[in-house]
Amino acid sequence: MDYINPDNEISAWVERYLNLKRYVEIMEHVWKTDVSKDTNFQRTFNGFYQIRRNEEWRKCYYQLFEKMKTEYATFDDILHSLYENTGRIEVSFSSKMLATLHPNQPIWDKYVVHNLELTVPKKNIDGMVDVYEKIVEWYEGYIRSLNGQQCIKRFNEVLPAYAWISDVKKVDYFLWGMRK
């Protein structure tokens, strides 16, 4: 080997670290398949988003996921529906479903909450919806900010094949990568 292209190698490392190929697979198939029946889609989604729930819960989740494809779902709708069907308050998995259906919606996970220094109310669904609205507001402001624009530009420079990913998802990757 005479030459290693450092830009290509760095891009490939970042692509693997962020698991972008699996994200693309999810986004390419979500609207082409019945997610309530497609076990390959479910396995990919479960792996990417680390869903570790029992079969009954997953059945409810993917049935709701498929149903939400025919409606304009909100975080509130998904969160309440999941709670009614499973008895669990699932803010993170509700936001992941929403962000898959509507890529300009942010994901709620422990890294986002920590990095944004948000306080999460215990067992209060309406309070959690309010926290999600704060997350949405933060993303909207940050994406318009100079630093937000710099991050998005750099993502596109390092990963030009993924420039089509929503700016919200790009920022989500930055927050996820800043795990603390």
Side-chain angles (χ1 to χ4, degrees):
M1 177 182 323
D2 294 333
Y3 179 75
I4 296 173
N5 183 322
D7 292 332
N8 288 349
E9 291 307 310
I10 290 170
S11 293
W13 293 341
V14 172
E15 178 184 49
R16 282 191 301 274
Y17 176 73
L18 298 178
N19 208 356
L20 284 164
K21 288 184 180 182
R22 186 167 282 178
Y23 176 73
V24 169
E25 184 178 345
I26 290 166
M27 299 309 287
E28 286 178 346
H29 289 93
V30 67
W31 293 101
K32 296 176 183 175
T33 190
D34 181 339
V35 300
S36 69
K37 296 176 181 159
D38 187 337
T39 57
N40 288 327
F41 177 87
Q42 293 174 18
R43 191 172 16 264
T44 301
F45 194 89
N46 293 345
F48 185 75
Y49 286 118
Q50 300 179 353
I51 295 178
R52 297 181 185 98
R53 297 287 187 269
N54 66 38
E55 187 176 339
E56 182 181 337
W57 185 95
R58 291 191 318 268
K59 181 178 179 183
C60 288
Y61 185 80
Y62 287 106
Q63 285 174 342
L64 177 62
F65 202 146
E66 185 62 29
K67 179 183 175 202
M68 291 297 161
K69 287 166 56 176
T70 63
E71 305 173 7
Y72 187 84
T74 66
F75 178 75
D76 191 0
D77 296 332
I78 295 169
L79 184 63
H80 277 89
S81 294
L82 265 181
Y83 180 70
E84 290 167 12
N85 290 297
T86 68
R88 296 178 64 119
I89 300 172
E90 299 280 10
V91 292
S92 182
F93 296 135
S94 295
S95 72
K96 290 166 181 171
M97 180 190 301
L98 181 63
T100 302
L101 295 172
H102 306 290
N104 287 316
Q105 296 299 313
I107 285 176
W108 171 330
D109 67 16
K110 63 184 176 183
Y111 305 115
V112 170
V113 169
H114 176 78
N115 285 319
L116 302 187
E117 300 175 347
L118 298 171
T119 302
V120 179
K122 299 278 187 218
K123 298 183 181 181
N124 177 342
I125 292 180
D126 293 331
M128 292 177 182
V129 170
D130 292 341
V131 171
Y132 186 75
E133 289 172 6
K134 289 178 184 176
I135 293 170
V136 170
E137 290 171 11
W138 183 87
Y139 270 84
E140 289 171 350
Y142 185 75
I143 286 169
R144 287 191 307 267
S145 74
L146 177 60
N147 184 238
Q149 289 297 303
Q150 290 168 333
C151 287
I152 292 163
K153 180 180 180 209
R154 190 69 183 127
F155 183 102
N156 292 341
E157 289 169 352
V158 172
L159 298 160
Y162 299 97
W164 60 269
I165 290 175
S166 75
D167 290 347
V168 168
K169 185 63 181 171
K170 291 170 189 168
V171 171
D172 177 64
Y173 272 124
F174 277 100
L175 291 175
W176 180 81
M178 295 170 43
R179 293 184 234 186
K180 293 181 182 178

